[in-house]
Amino acid sequence: MNLKPRAISVLSGGLDSTVATTYLKDHYQIHAVTFNYGQRSAEMEIKSSQAICDALDIEHTVIDLPWLAALGNSALTSQEEVPQIGMDQLDNKELCDQTARKVWVPGRNIVFTAIATSFAESEGAKAIIVGWDQEEAATFPDNSQGFLKAFNKVLEIGSPDEIEIEAPLINLEKTGIVELGDRVDAPLHLSYSCYLGGEEHCGTCESCMRRKRAFYKSGVVDRTVYSD
């Protein structure tokens, strides 16, 4: 009999959610949910998420949100060109703000976390696990400390159950996330970060660049296959 409390993990298959889920897997009985919202990388994200759940021996559900792709004009869900960025530009706040706007999906984390709340209430889960982190928060406000505190306040007021969002990476940069993932034996090699959705990581989109830099700076062996 599993006496651990239940938790819902919002698992994209990327580095952040993979490490966050692995970090808390011994504390909770986890049900991971992955969203297909029409993103270019949906097939690979789902494939990666399933492999991660198999490795961690946790339940996995894919949720289709076809309507989300039709909103806005994100390069992730349209034919707009995905911006590329050099390794030496990753800390250029003004430039990264511009690239973030091009890949912004309207209300994505609000929608994902709200749906995860529905799962949590229906399953009696005590927590929602997310991979929000400090590096992403620099350009994506829905990864920030303020967003985390505000959403937990919404749950406190709006849910009859005691549910808390757990964001164990909220104070970490990508390098620290890779280091933590290595320490907790997260299946980093199964994670998928590329915006373009190819079998191999493109190696040139901003997400790939941040992944490559994190592995390089951490000294952890990067088993990712990059096209470039």
Side-chain angles (χ1 to χ4, degrees):
M1 184 176 179
N2 195 330
L3 298 179
K4 293 186 292 187
R6 288 184 66 81
I8 306 300
S9 170
V10 179
L11 180 68
S12 70
L15 273 177
D16 307 330
S17 58
T18 299
V19 173
T21 303
T22 305
Y23 180 75
L24 291 171
K25 72 178 179 65
D26 292 334
H27 298 273
Y28 295 105
Q29 180 186 353
I30 297 176
H31 177 188
V33 293
T34 301
F35 294 95
N36 175 4
Y37 54 97
Q39 69 274 36
R40 296 173 190 241
S41 56
E43 182 178 353
M44 291 302 297
E45 288 184 17
I46 293 168
K47 179 180 178 181
S48 175
S49 295
Q50 184 60 63
I52 290 161
C53 289
D54 289 344
L56 299 179
D57 192 26
I58 61 177
E59 183 180 356
H60 184 226
T61 298
V62 177
I63 301 170
D64 294 324
L65 302 174
W67 53 269
L68 190 52
L71 303 181
N73 198 32
S74 172
L76 301 188
T77 57
S78 71
Q79 297 305 309
E80 291 293 316
E81 185 177 358
V82 173
Q84 296 184 348
I85 190 170
M87 192 74 73
D88 60 345
Q89 298 174 310
L90 291 176
D91 294 321
N92 183 324
K93 179 68 164 58
E94 183 177 355
L95 177 61
C96 290
D97 280 342
Q98 295 173 10
T99 61
R101 293 306 301 174
K102 291 179 181 178
V103 298
W104 179 264
V105 178
R108 180 173 57 180
N109 276 355
I110 295 174
V111 171
F112 291 177
T113 313
I115 292 174
T117 300
S118 295
F119 274 80
E121 288 187 358
S122 68
E123 297 181 15
K126 297 298 184 184
I128 296 169
I129 302 168
V130 297
W132 306 342
D133 65 88
Q134 183 172 297
E135 185 164 329
E136 295 285 346
T139 49
F140 294 95
D142 58 0
N143 272 253
S144 66
Q145 283 270 11
F147 184 73
L148 173 64
K149 292 176 182 178
F151 217 113
N152 269 326
K153 189 65 176 178
V154 167
L155 292 179
E156 180 185 335
I157 296 171
S159 175
D161 300 334
E162 294 184 2
I163 303 169
E164 183 178 6
I165 300 171
E166 292 238 25
L169 316 181
I170 198 71
N171 294 314
L172 294 179
E173 303 283 339
K174 296 285 187 181
T175 301
I177 292 169
V178 171
E179 291 171 344
L180 176 60
D182 187 54
R183 288 201 301 273
V184 300
D185 199 26
L188 300 176
H189 63 292
L190 298 177
S191 65
Y192 186 85
S193 302
C194 185
Y195 284 154
L196 298 186
E199 284 284 339
E200 298 179 348
H201 284 65
C202 74
T204 58
C205 70
E206 183 174 346
S207 186
C208 280
M209 283 296 196
R210 292 190 182 279
R211 181 186 180 99
K212 288 199 289 188
R213 182 175 72 168
F215 274 101
Y216 176 76
K217 291 178 68 175
S218 69
V220 175
V221 174
D222 187 1
R223 295 167 58 185
T224 312
V225 178
Y226 299 100
S227 298
D228 188 340

